[in-house]
Amino acid sequence: MPGQSVGVVHSQRAHFAQPLALRSGGVLPAYDLVYETYGALNAAKSNAILVCHALSGHHHVAGHYADQPGNIGWWDNLIGPGRPLDTDRYFIVGVNNLGGCHGSTGPSTLNPASGKPWGADFPLVAVVDWVHAQARLADLLGIDAWAVVMGGSLGGMQALRWSVTYPERIRNAIVIAAAPKLSAQNIAFNDVARQAILTDPDFHGGHYYEHHTRPTRGLRLARMLGHITYLSDDQMGEKFGRELKNGSFTFDFDVEFEVESYLRYQGDKFAGIFDANTYLLMTKALDYFDPARMDDGDLTATMARSTANFLIASFTTDWRFTPARSKEIVAALLANGRNVSYAEIDLNFGHDSFLMADAHYHGVIDAWLRNITL
């Protein structure tokens, strides 16, 4: 891929002692955010880009750790010298959201009131809560306004929420493979995934840490279901077809088809590194996301609050967040006379397309970023 990786990186931790009131009515008395930065903040502090992560993402967006050369950031192909998010030009920040399981305060961290992991006692969080927490991190870093807030999927929804919650603190937004709210079908997928976790005998009402176990089976099934929705039918057909793992039917319920083997591998891998309570929180945040709710469902009225320039991008094979959903955002912005560019990109990787190192896709982002004013 063009350009270079940022190389060795390290994470940082910020502690916030000021309580954070949440949309659910809960309050976090204090919290930590784990984050990473790449590049340097310029003297005017005008070149900062916030990269927001998707459902299973985290703060490790680019580069690798000195002791883990194989642990590459999830959007490494986009970030570094000579890449679209050029670290010779921009100061890039990635943060693990509240409720996460990669260092920021979440269900698996200690509740100071009990001395035990929060577990099911961790309050439900909404996208707007993440935006408020990110704004405090920006204050800590001395960033009055982001040059760009961007992300894919749930990350793109955060960028959208930033634009209407703190319009004075965001000059540009890149919203990729996202939607202004979930469809009933998407909410249904999320509920089935949650039910797989909630009904796992090892869940223990969310307090499985105290039982020294984890609802691995439920989380594994949730990831398998989710992964199916992230891929396109054509991609699955090309990659696996009806290929048999051992060349013939075994007439049992073990793995027979290659696609089964792939899904079980992905499920096992995910269940080994992710926290089930975090998965529940993240999917609920997705379900709740609907900024137009404050305007009785009128997205045009909601987007009137935004003053940012927008790049909206979608993918032809993404059936979970179809191009039509992105066009709803575009229409609301145009109705308000906002500066918006739209790209519908022909990639065969379904919803996961936003993570891929495609020259045309990256070229769209690169060209758009080169035209913004720092």
Side-chain angles (χ1 to χ4, degrees):
M1 66 189 70
Q4 297 174 296
S5 170
V6 295
V8 175
V9 300
H10 64 278
S11 61
Q12 302 176 66
R13 181 182 299 273
H15 179 72
F16 299 89
Q18 180 185 357
L20 181 67
L22 305 173
R23 185 185 165 196
S24 65
V27 177
L28 278 178
Y31 58 93
D32 290 353
L33 291 179
V34 172
Y35 66 100
E36 288 180 10
T37 67
Y38 323 105
L41 190 62
N42 63 15
K45 298 182 178 180
S46 63
N47 68 332
I49 295 179
L50 175 64
V51 175
C52 303
H53 69 73
L55 188 151
S56 59
H58 41 69
H59 58 283
H60 183 41
V61 186
H64 66 272
Y65 301 126
D67 60 343
Q68 300 175 49
N71 186 355
I72 308 297
W74 56 268
W75 228 352
D76 183 78
N77 58 42
L78 200 65
I79 298 169
R83 292 182 176 171
L85 271 66
D86 192 336
T87 47
D88 288 336
R89 186 183 189 206
Y90 308 112
F91 176 66
I92 298 156
V93 179
V95 58
N96 183 212
N97 286 334
L98 286 174
C101 55
H102 293 91
S104 292
T105 298
S108 59
T109 59
L110 290 182
N111 179 350
S114 67
K116 300 178 182 179
W118 280 91
D121 294 330
F122 194 85
L124 286 174
V125 290
V127 171
V128 71
D129 300 323
W130 294 336
V131 169
H132 290 319
Q134 291 161 1
R136 290 186 183 179
L137 179 62
D139 292 340
L140 183 70
L141 296 173
I143 299 166
D144 294 328
W146 299 102
V148 184
V149 178
M150 66 181 293
S153 191
L154 182 54
M157 295 175 181
Q158 292 172 63
L160 198 63
R161 172 49 90 169
W162 256 100
S163 77
V164 297
T165 303
Y166 292 104
E168 75 285 359
R169 301 195 66 175
I170 167 176
R171 296 194 299 276
N172 302 279
I174 302 179
V175 179
I176 306 172
K181 62 184 177 184
L182 290 197
S183 65
Q185 183 188 54
N186 272 317
I187 294 172
F189 280 130
N190 285 344
D191 186 54
V192 172
R194 286 193 296 269
Q195 287 302 311
I197 294 170
L198 293 168
T199 58
D200 188 315
D202 290 328
F203 184 63
H204 296 288
H207 295 289
Y208 45 87
Y209 316 102
E210 299 169 35
H211 294 265
H212 307 291
T213 187
R214 300 169 66 245
T216 303
R217 287 167 292 182
L219 186 56
R220 177 175 178 257
L221 287 172
R223 183 59 172 180
M224 289 171 69
L225 172 65
H227 209 74
I228 293 169
T229 71
Y230 303 149
L231 305 177
S232 70
D233 182 47
D234 286 346
Q235 182 195 14
M236 292 182 77
E238 290 175 10
K239 192 169 184 177
F240 307 109
R242 290 181 52 85
E243 293 297 318
L244 295 168
K245 187 171 176 62
N246 297 310
S248 61
F249 293 145
T250 56
F251 295 99
D252 58 29
F253 297 106
D254 202 353
V255 173
E256 290 190 274
F257 292 92
E258 287 288 355
V259 68
E260 294 174 323
S261 177
Y262 172 77
L263 287 175
R264 295 189 195 191
Y265 167 77
Q266 292 294 337
D268 289 339
K269 178 182 175 183
F270 185 75
I273 61 174
F274 210 76
D275 182 68
N277 278 323
T278 288
Y279 194 90
L280 296 176
L281 287 175
M282 296 291 174
T283 55
K284 265 299 182 181
L286 262 172
D287 290 354
Y288 289 144
F289 180 76
D290 181 10
R293 185 181 179 87
M294 60 185 172
D295 294 300
D296 297 320
D298 185 347
L299 185 62
T300 297
T302 301
M303 296 316 298
R305 294 176 169 84
S306 175
T307 57
N309 305 307
F310 279 83
L311 170 62
I312 311 292
S314 66
F315 300 95
T316 54
T317 58
D318 184 354
W319 59 274
R320 185 145 195 189
F321 295 117
T322 65
R325 305 309 311 281
S326 288
K327 290 175 182 177
E328 292 176 36
I329 304 171
V330 173
L333 289 166
L334 290 176
N336 285 292
R338 298 296 182 262
N339 183 358
V340 54
S341 300
Y342 173 67
E344 187 171 315
I345 300 163
D346 188 11
L347 268 182
N348 200 31
F349 300 101
H351 187 57
D352 273 352
S353 293
F354 79 92
L355 297 168
M356 299 304 166
D358 176 75
H360 174 62
Y361 163 41
H362 283 193
V364 168
I365 296 175
D366 183 56
W368 191 84
L369 282 173
R370 288 183 183 280
N371 284 310
I372 70 171
T373 301
L374 296 182

